[in-house]
């Protein structure tokens, strides 16, 4: 699964949990219901939720379908979420070039500098967006 999907799915899942818990106070939230909202498989939802749980964003009770968010939405940035669910850099980096070729040997080094700079700028931007902004927008549009 691509990093951009993982971030979008995680934001969707966290928003879903927050709004359902706020409106229906501890209603059971199954991975099947969230999967239907995302239009993905329940396995995908459980994988993302496992990452969110390991990062300390959510608490689940095995077998009960009860889940809650452990942090305030305004304290959860997109960067936090991305780091919780992504296993890679923001950009895919290709290093399988011919090191005996002067171009193949040097392009990855040059691209690394570019990617590092772009990723740093992207991470700074991701810190500006919080789960709370998404939830506020959802509430306005629902």
């Amino acid at each position: 699964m691509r990093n951009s999907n993982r971030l979008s799915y995680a934001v969707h899942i966290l928003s879903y949990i927050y709004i359902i818990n706020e409106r229906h106070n501890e209603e059971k939230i199954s991975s099947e219901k969230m999967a239907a909202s995302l239009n993905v498989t329940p396995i995908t939802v459980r994988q993302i939720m496992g990452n969110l749980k390991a990062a300390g964003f959510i608490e689940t009770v095995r077998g009960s379908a009860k889940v809650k968010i452990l942090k305030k939405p305004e304290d959860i940035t997109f960067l936090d979420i991305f780091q919780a669910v992504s296993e890679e850099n923001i950009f895919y980096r290709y290093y399988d070039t011919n090191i005996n070729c002067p171009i193949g040997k040097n392009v990855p080094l040059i691209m690394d500098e570019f990617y590092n700079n772009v990723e740093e700028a992207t991470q700074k931007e991701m810190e500006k967006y919080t789960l709370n902004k998404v939830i506020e927008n959802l509430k306005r549009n629902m």
Side-chain angles (χ1 to χ4, degrees), residues 6-85:
R6 293 179 76 83
L7 174 62
S8 296
Y9 293 168
V11 169
H12 189 125
I13 289 166
L14 289 168
S15 299
Y16 187 99
I17 293 166
Y18 185 87
I19 288 173
I20 295 300
N21 279 334
E22 182 181 67
R23 292 188 175 193
H24 303 288
N25 197 12
E26 296 188 30
E27 178 180 307
K28 292 183 178 185
I29 304 171
S30 69
S31 55
E32 288 78 13
K33 286 182 183 179
M34 285 188 273
S37 178
L38 275 159
N39 205 24
V40 298
T41 67
I43 292 169
T44 300
V45 170
R46 287 191 287 272
Q47 288 172 340
I48 298 291
M49 286 181 64
N51 294 129
L52 294 170
K53 183 176 181 178
F57 290 115
I58 62 172
E59 178 180 82
T60 60
V61 179
R62 188 173 179 93
S64 75
K66 289 192 177 186
V67 60
K68 67 178 181 177
I69 297 178
L70 298 175
K71 298 181 178 186
K72 296 177 186 174
E74 58 269 20
D75 294 334
I76 302 174
T77 69
F78 278 25
L79 180 60
D80 296 330
I81 299 167
F82 178 82
Q83 290 172 336
V85 300

Side-chain angles (χ1 to χ4, degrees), residues 64-124:
S64 75
K66 289 192 177 186
V67 60
K68 67 178 181 177
I69 297 178
L70 298 175
K71 298 181 178 186
K72 296 177 186 174
E74 58 269 20
D75 294 334
I76 302 174
T77 69
F78 278 25
L79 180 60
D80 296 330
I81 299 167
F82 178 82
Q83 290 172 336
V85 300
S86 300
E87 301 162 357
E88 309 161 359
N89 293 317
I90 295 169
F91 297 101
Y92 173 75
R93 297 175 187 215
Y94 180 70
Y95 293 112
D96 193 22
T97 57
N98 182 350
I99 61 169
N100 295 318
C101 170
I103 295 170
K105 179 180 178 180
N106 287 294
V107 167
L109 300 173
I110 294 165
M111 293 305 293
D112 260 352
E113 180 182 354
F114 165 77
Y115 284 133
N116 289 338
N117 290 337
V118 172
E119 283 189 357
E120 184 178 320
T122 302
Q123 288 176 354
K124 285 180 183 174

